[in-house]
Amino acid sequence: MKDRKYVVALIALVIVYVFLEMRKGESLDWTASFHNRHSIPFGTMATHDLMKDMLSDSAVESSYETVYEIATEGEERNLLILAERIAFSDDELEKLLDYVNRGKTVIIGGKEFLGGLRDSLEFTPLVTDPLLTYDLEAIQENLAGESKQLITTDLGGVAKSYSFSSVATTSAILSYNEDNFNVLAKNEAEQPVLLEYKGSKGRLILTTMPLALTNYFVLNEETTSFASSVLSLFPEDEPVLHVEYYQLGRLESQTPLRVVLANRSLRWGMFILLFTLLIFIFFESKRRQRIIPLIDPMKNLSVEFVETLGRLYYRQKDHRKLATKRVTYWKDFVRRKYNLRTDNLSNQFTEDLAKKSGLDIKEIELLLVSINHVEAGNEISLEELMLMEKQLNAFYGIE
Amino acid sequence: MNFYRSIYLTNRFFYAAGFIIFLFVVGFAFPFVTVIAEGLFYLAIACILIDVLLLYRTKDGIQIERLCTEKFSNGDDNPIRLIIENLYPITLDLEVIDELPEQLQVRDQVFELSLTSGEVKEIHYKIRPTKRGEYAFGVVNVFISTFLSIVRRRYQLGDEKNVAVYPSFIQMRKYELLAISNQLQSFGVKKIRRIGNNMEFEQIKNYVSGDDYRKVNWKATARKNQLMVNQYQDERSQQVYSVIDKGRVMKMPFESLSLLDYAINSSLVISNIALKKGDKAGIITFQHKVNSLLPASARNMQLNLILEHLYKQKTGYKETDYSKLYITLKRKVTQRSLILLYTNFESVSALKRQLPFLRKIRQQHLLVCIFFQNTEVDKLIDSPANDIEEVYTKGIAEQLSFEKKLIVKELKAHGIHSILTPPKELSVNTINKYLELKSRGLI
């Protein structure tokens, strides 16, 4: 077993690798997912818990559909929309404003607001440090560091201030139509970060600090009450729907098989097919008998040799030479088979040959014409060579 | 693990799976079909389980034995028997794959049969080895399936066995009988009219047509009232050496047997007949040097020695050196002998190179040069040519064939006997020549 040391070495390598990987510890994931089942810093697991506490156990659920779909499906719940970028299409916007007009509360948090929302509500958002929220190391340093922003809220006539790491406060509203909005919170630069739209029956609340509603800041003692105060804008005892579509998309299985998997009958067929394939691989790949190594059989190359020689002669195009060879062979054949002398191809010879071979004397005469033609030392053309081949085949009885 | 190794599936399994999948797909459009499909699915699972149970509840339910001789004969069909017994309580379908020696390069030999409970059957098949040497048989794989035929179980039975492939002793026996019983006419060996009478008197026997009427014993005829003739013994204790050229020219295979093996087979046949006729037989093999020399002798064990000697011949196919052969013969073979030289000449010029040595050998011995017609090239000659290039090829083939006949003439001119033979008829022609030379008393 000289293979054993390789196996041992391989196993040792794997163990060392696993050990090193374990020592490294798990690295934190600083992506902003806003997903209700993520416990990473910028997920919203804690936020959902907080909402459940606040809204007296009326369930908070998540949806992965667009506002348009939600509104058309006859949804009645209040909406929480969190995403890094909020960009509604015109149809969505129309449905959204319509939804708010039906007396619902919608809180929209986004670092950037693009598209129709800005124009129809007339405000201009601003992102001060766009890179900061995308560079993971920068986020960590920032959170650990002393760079803070004071956010002052003005809710229900009570002013409170919270100090946020500047990760959460990279964007704000630069300018807005004061007729349309009530400002609920500002940053140090007196720019609004939380405002309420006035022109509708329900409540439409915009915030440029979606991160303030994520696990990190919800669980952080200094900032947790900011989150709860924002969430308390939802009316109590009404369920909330967290629309995650704008950050995560559909979040359903992306596989092209989803249609197949959706139907029970097809799903069965699919799984049986896959299972059968697996069985096929495992069972049909088994040997039925031992390996038989390839041994090349010896080849008889004499025919190839003759063909090569033939080609060489053919290149020289010396038809006469070849015809002479063939005549020699023919004479030998006649001597051997019919015991006739071939030194004088006279009429007597022709008769004898016809009698002995039983062939038509005319054919033999024609053959002898060709042969004498060769014997006389004339040039032989290609056609004559072919003709001779025909005549000889008839003589030898080759079909 | 052993279970996984021994279990195989049939095509029926996959057809069934395919059918059930199809039904499920149809069930997408017609939901009631789904119910049928599900039912079938569970039924199939049940069938598989039942099938496995049927196959695996009996331990060692198949017995098999491979019967063959210890030695195989090269170039002949050697019979092999497989005896199979079914100990299961049910009828089984069997697929038998015998692991043949790798030299045969056979990968698709499968026997299918069906056995009722307790039945014993035999499979007969033949293999034709074309190389001397050790042949290793593996085990016998038996795949059994029940009437359900969804799952198959593999048994690996029988013993691994090594068989030695010897020069063709089957041919040896065949020709021996014929040569001794003078029935070689049926193989084209013609009775030679005896010339001269330098023979020892042996017996008086009944005249049969073909006997020399000058040897009629008139007194005995008068006594018995039947024609009687005197029979004379052939001369005995003459030496017959089979000299085998192991050089490059003998590598060419015909019907996958190399010329060398044809020569070896023929040497065995001729040695055997020579020994039976009371002559001494010996073997010499040579290529770039003389490889081996088994001195001619008429001892009882000589034939076995020859067989082993021929079996062990290794092949290198180097360039032959006739001078070495001449020297060896000069030194070692002092008595005038019949030298049967198995070689091959493709052209007159090839012969001319060796002719001086052949003539030297001929001065001391009766030399018979045996060489081969190229049957592959002769096939070319006997087929019509379709275009000019083929005419050329055919012309060259005819020239080569003609050259072989010229070689015979050339040898004859120097008093050397020769045999020009197709490889297949080598043994017969060699025996013929030997008998002819014996009866002409030329040795």
Side-chain angles (χ1 to χ4, degrees):
Chain A
M1 273 302 281
K2 62 173 182 186
D3 295 343
R4 184 176 293 171
K5 62 180 179 202
Y6 294 112
V7 174
V8 168
L10 202 70
I11 291 170
L13 264 177
V14 171
I15 289 171
V16 168
Y17 175 77
V18 169
F19 180 70
L20 287 178
E21 279 292 306
M22 281 166 67
R23 280 211 30 202
K24 232 167 50 174
E26 206 175 329
S27 58
L28 269 179
D29 182 359
W30 289 101
T31 46
S33 72
F34 303 114
H35 187 27
N36 69 70
R37 282 198 299 276
H38 283 179
S39 57
I40 57 174
F42 298 150
T44 54
M45 199 165 171
T47 319
H48 275 244
D49 291 346
L50 179 67
M51 277 196 280
K52 278 174 192 162
D53 290 347
M54 290 169 55
L55 304 174
S56 61
D57 279 351
S58 51
V60 181
E61 287 180 359
S62 284
S63 151
Y64 300 96
E65 291 178 321
T66 60
V67 171
Y68 184 90
E69 285 167 313
I70 290 168
T72 46
E73 278 166 14
E75 183 61 57
E76 292 296 323
R77 285 177 280 191
N78 297 320
L79 301 182
L80 168 68
I81 303 174
L82 294 176
E84 298 208 325
R85 273 198 199 81
I86 298 290
F88 294 125
S89 67
D90 293 347
D91 295 341
E92 281 175 330
L93 189 64
E94 198 181 316
K95 283 275 172 194
L96 179 73
L97 295 176
D98 188 46
Y99 195 76
V100 175
N101 261 332
R102 292 206 325 240
K104 302 286 170 220
T105 307
V106 176
I107 298 180
I108 303 175
K111 271 189 270 185
E112 295 176 58
F113 289 90
L114 307 166
L117 194 65
R118 306 192 314 193
D119 305 336
S120 59
L121 304 190
E122 297 175 46
F123 68 95
T124 316
L126 155 95
V127 183
T128 49
D129 193 355
L131 283 180
L132 177 59
T133 52
Y134 296 106
D135 182 359
L136 302 184
E137 279 184 24
I139 291 175
Q140 287 193 58
E141 278 175 27
N142 186 282
L143 289 170
E146 294 302 306
S147 144
K148 301 274 186 189
Q149 272 252 39
L150 268 183
I151 303 290
T152 319
T153 58
D154 177 17
L155 289 163
V158 185
K160 272 191 178 175
S161 24
Y162 308 91
S163 98
F164 273 92
S165 298
S166 47
V167 172
T169 58
T170 50
S171 59
I173 307 290
L174 189 63
S175 63
Y176 57 99
N177 184 339
E178 294 188 12
D179 299 344
N180 287 353
F181 288 104
N182 286 331
V183 178
L184 302 181
K186 289 181 182 163
N187 63 11
E188 287 172 7
E190 292 293 314
Q191 292 162 331
V193 290
L194 181 70
L195 14 74
E196 182 178 358
Y197 181 60
K198 289 195 286 196
S200 64
K201 246 171 71 181
R203 302 184 80 184
L204 174 59
I205 291 147
L206 305 179
T207 172
T208 59
M209 293 170 55
L211 285 181
L213 297 177
T214 59
N215 297 335
Y216 186 90
F217 293 101
V218 167
L219 296 175
N220 189 334
E221 278 176 29
E222 285 179 39
T223 55
T224 180
S225 39
F226 176 81
S228 48
S229 57
V230 172
L231 293 172
S232 65
L233 295 170
F234 282 122
E236 273 187 47
D237 301 334
E238 282 186 30
V240 171
L241 186 67
H242 178 185
V243 182
E244 300 196 39
Y245 171 83
Y246 295 95
Q247 181 61 20
L248 296 173
R250 292 265 173 228
L251 207 80
E252 59 189 3
S253 59
Q254 290 297 315
T255 142
L257 287 172
R258 62 176 179 270
V259 177
V260 173
L261 293 174
N263 176 284
R264 182 161 178 274
S265 181
L266 289 181
R267 195 166 59 228
W268 269 72
M270 184 71 217
F271 283 131
I272 294 174
L273 177 69
L274 289 175
F275 190 67
T276 310
L277 284 177
L278 205 69
I279 284 182
F280 182 83
I281 290 164
F282 269 99
F283 280 84
E284 295 300 299
S285 64
K286 289 200 293 189
R287 291 214 137 270
R288 278 152 215 273
Q289 58 172 324
R290 68 178 175 186
I291 299 169
I292 301 172
L294 270 176
I295 303 172
D296 278 336
M298 285 189 297
K299 287 196 181 67
N300 188 333
L301 296 171
S302 43
V303 172
E304 283 83 344
F305 171 70
V306 170
E307 281 171 353
T308 309
L309 273 184
R311 268 197 294 277
L312 273 176
Y313 274 90
Y314 178 62
R315 286 235 186 101
Q316 292 178 348
K317 289 275 193 315
D318 191 344
H319 297 325
R320 204 178 153 274
K321 198 173 178 179
L322 189 86
T324 316
K325 283 188 205 297
R326 301 210 65 179
V327 169
T328 312
Y329 181 83
W330 175 82
K331 282 183 170 179
D332 181 65
F333 180 87
V334 170
R335 281 198 298 270
R336 235 169 252 283
K337 189 160 179 184
Y338 302 119
N339 286 325
L340 291 171
R341 293 185 57 157
T342 53
D343 48 0
N344 179 16
L345 306 180
S346 59
N347 289 340
Q348 182 60 45
F349 168 82
T350 316
E351 275 174 36
D352 291 348
L353 186 57
K355 278 177 193 158
K356 284 203 165 184
S357 62
L359 290 165
D360 187 12
I361 195 157
K362 289 262 179 352
E363 278 185 16
I364 291 178
E365 275 171 355
L366 286 173
L367 174 64
L368 282 174
V369 167
S370 299
I371 285 171
N372 284 325
H373 187 63
V374 175
E375 298 268 280
N378 297 318
E379 275 307 306
I380 305 291
S381 71
L382 197 150
E383 288 75 21
E384 282 168 327
L385 207 57
M386 289 305 283
L387 176 71
M388 201 165 126
E389 157 74 7
K390 266 216 189 75
Q391 291 166 333
L392 284 173
N393 281 350
F395 183 83
Y396 294 137
I398 296 170
E399 290 304 319
Chain B
M1 198 64 212
N2 272 341
F3 176 74
Y4 169 70
R5 277 218 192 103
S6 69
I7 193 165
Y8 284 75
L9 298 172
T10 59
N11 286 347
R12 193 178 283 187
F13 175 93
F14 294 104
Y15 293 146
F19 181 66
I20 289 169
I21 291 164
F22 170 75
L23 282 185
F24 273 116
V25 173
V26 172
F28 175 65
F30 309 100
F32 70 91
V33 181
T34 308
V35 181
I36 301 170
E38 270 183 50
L40 279 178
F41 174 74
Y42 291 121
L43 181 71
I45 299 275
C47 281
I48 291 169
L49 290 176
I50 290 167
D51 210 11
V52 169
L53 216 66
L54 284 176
L55 289 175
Y56 282 87
R57 71 177 168 173
T58 311
K59 252 193 143 181
D60 305 329
I62 297 286
Q63 300 270 324
I64 195 157
E65 196 180 1
R66 184 195 298 116
L67 295 175
C68 62
T69 51
E70 291 297 314
K71 291 177 184 176
F72 279 177
S73 167
N74 192 7
D76 298 312
D77 285 337
N78 296 276
I80 294 168
R81 284 160 60 206
L82 296 172
I83 300 172
I84 306 173
E85 188 180 359
N86 174 13
L87 301 177
Y88 278 83
I90 45 173
T91 303
L92 294 176
D93 290 324
L94 282 78
E95 208 174 78
V96 182
I97 300 177
D98 195 356
E99 290 181 348
L100 295 171
E102 61 188 43
Q103 288 95 326
L104 296 169
Q105 294 286 298
V106 175
R107 295 181 175 78
D108 53 356
Q109 191 192 44
V110 178
F111 302 103
E112 288 175 0
L113 65 156
S114 154
L115 285 177
T116 55
S117 176
E119 193 183 1
V120 180
K121 268 194 185 168
E122 284 194 20
I123 296 173
H124 295 257
Y125 68 96
K126 291 187 166 77
I127 63 168
R128 178 174 178 258
T130 54
K131 277 176 112 143
R132 284 162 299 118
E134 283 276 303
Y135 278 51
F137 279 91
V139 295
V140 184
N141 298 295
V142 184
F143 297 89
I144 58 169
S145 52
T146 62
F147 60 95
L148 286 168
S149 174
I150 302 172
V151 181
R152 298 195 300 169
R153 179 177 179 182
R154 176 169 82 165
Y155 279 99
Q156 291 196 304
L157 302 161
D159 307 324
E160 297 187 357
K161 183 177 180 182
N162 283 357
V163 172
V165 173
Y166 271 78
S168 179
F169 49 83
I170 289 182
Q171 279 185 38
M172 180 183 92
R173 294 266 171 262
K174 186 171 86 181
Y175 290 120
E176 165 194 312
L177 287 168
L178 295 167
I180 300 309
S181 60
N182 281 337
Q183 281 182 351
L184 284 165
Q185 288 90 334
S186 56
F187 278 81
V189 178
K190 62 176 182 287
K191 197 165 166 52
I192 305 293
R193 192 166 55 83
R194 294 202 164 132
I195 302 167
N197 52 355
N198 52 348
M199 319 262 185
E200 289 281 307
F201 173 78
E202 189 182 1
Q203 61 172 6
I204 302 171
K205 69 175 195 69
N206 283 350
Y207 173 87
V208 288
S209 65
D211 278 349
D212 189 353
Y213 48 79
R214 288 172 302 179
K215 299 214 169 54
V216 173
N217 185 328
W218 293 111
K219 283 182 179 167
T221 305
R223 281 199 295 271
K224 288 222 42 165
N225 206 7
Q226 273 181 339
L227 277 175
M228 303 299 276
V229 287
N230 288 348
Q231 203 185 15
Y232 301 92
Q233 272 180 2
D234 289 342
E235 244 178 271
R236 286 168 177 270
S237 294
Q238 293 169 318
Q239 297 198 10
V240 179
Y241 272 99
S242 301
V243 179
I244 304 171
D245 177 353
K246 292 204 302 181
R248 194 175 45 79
V249 291
M250 301 296 276
K251 194 176 178 176
M252 203 189 296
F254 286 90
E255 295 181 18
S256 65
L257 203 63
S258 69
L259 289 182
L260 178 65
D261 277 317
Y262 278 110
I264 282 175
N265 286 347
S266 175
S267 317
L268 184 66
V269 171
I270 203 77
S271 302
N272 181 33
I273 289 176
L275 289 168
K276 287 280 180 299
K277 292 251 174 204
D279 282 341
K280 301 174 184 171
I283 305 280
I284 297 173
T285 61
F286 74 107
Q287 43 187 343
H288 59 293
K289 61 180 202 289
V290 174
N291 293 91
S292 67
L293 187 148
L294 183 68
S297 131
R299 286 171 303 176
N300 290 339
M301 57 190 302
Q302 184 71 0
L303 186 62
N304 261 337
L305 286 178
I306 288 172
L307 187 60
E308 290 298 330
H309 193 83
L310 289 173
Y311 169 68
K312 282 198 307 242
Q313 291 304 328
K314 296 211 165 41
T315 51
Y317 299 120
K318 299 214 164 57
E319 201 59 43
T320 46
D321 188 347
Y322 278 84
S323 62
K324 297 276 198 315
L325 172 69
Y326 168 65
I327 292 164
T328 308
L329 284 172
K330 181 98 180 150
R331 283 187 188 157
K332 300 270 169 76
V333 185
T334 47
Q335 191 186 332
R336 180 178 164 83
S337 331
L338 170 61
I339 304 283
L340 295 165
L341 173 60
Y342 296 91
T343 180
N344 197 15
F345 297 116
E346 283 294 337
S347 64
V348 179
S349 54
L351 169 71
K352 288 254 165 84
R353 279 200 295 276
Q354 314 301 355
L355 206 52
F357 302 110
L358 296 180
R359 288 173 60 190
K360 278 285 193 190
I361 293 169
R362 191 207 141 256
Q363 285 173 0
Q364 288 177 309
H365 304 283
L366 176 62
L367 175 59
V368 180
C369 238
I370 302 166
F371 58 107
F372 299 88
Q373 275 173 10
N374 195 327
T375 44
E376 297 289 322
V377 173
D378 289 354
K379 274 182 210 158
L380 270 184
I381 295 173
D382 291 336
S383 59
N386 300 318
D387 57 26
I388 186 69
E389 208 165 319
E390 281 183 26
V391 171
Y392 265 85
T393 307
K394 204 168 151 180
I396 301 299
E398 283 176 352
Q399 189 198 359
L400 287 180
S401 170
F402 179 63
E403 282 225 350
K404 294 255 178 189
K405 289 167 185 135
L406 283 186
I407 291 170
V408 175
K409 277 188 184 150
E410 186 72 25
L411 288 167
K412 201 170 175 180
H414 291 99
I416 299 167
H417 293 265
S418 62
I419 305 174
L420 173 59
T421 167
K424 274 194 76 156
E425 294 159 27
L426 172 67
S427 292
V428 168
N429 287 332
T430 313
I431 296 166
N432 239 336
K433 195 77 186 175
Y434 166 73
L435 293 176
E436 176 199 337
L437 295 172
K438 282 291 283 185
S439 59
R440 282 169 63 185
L442 287 177
I443 305 175

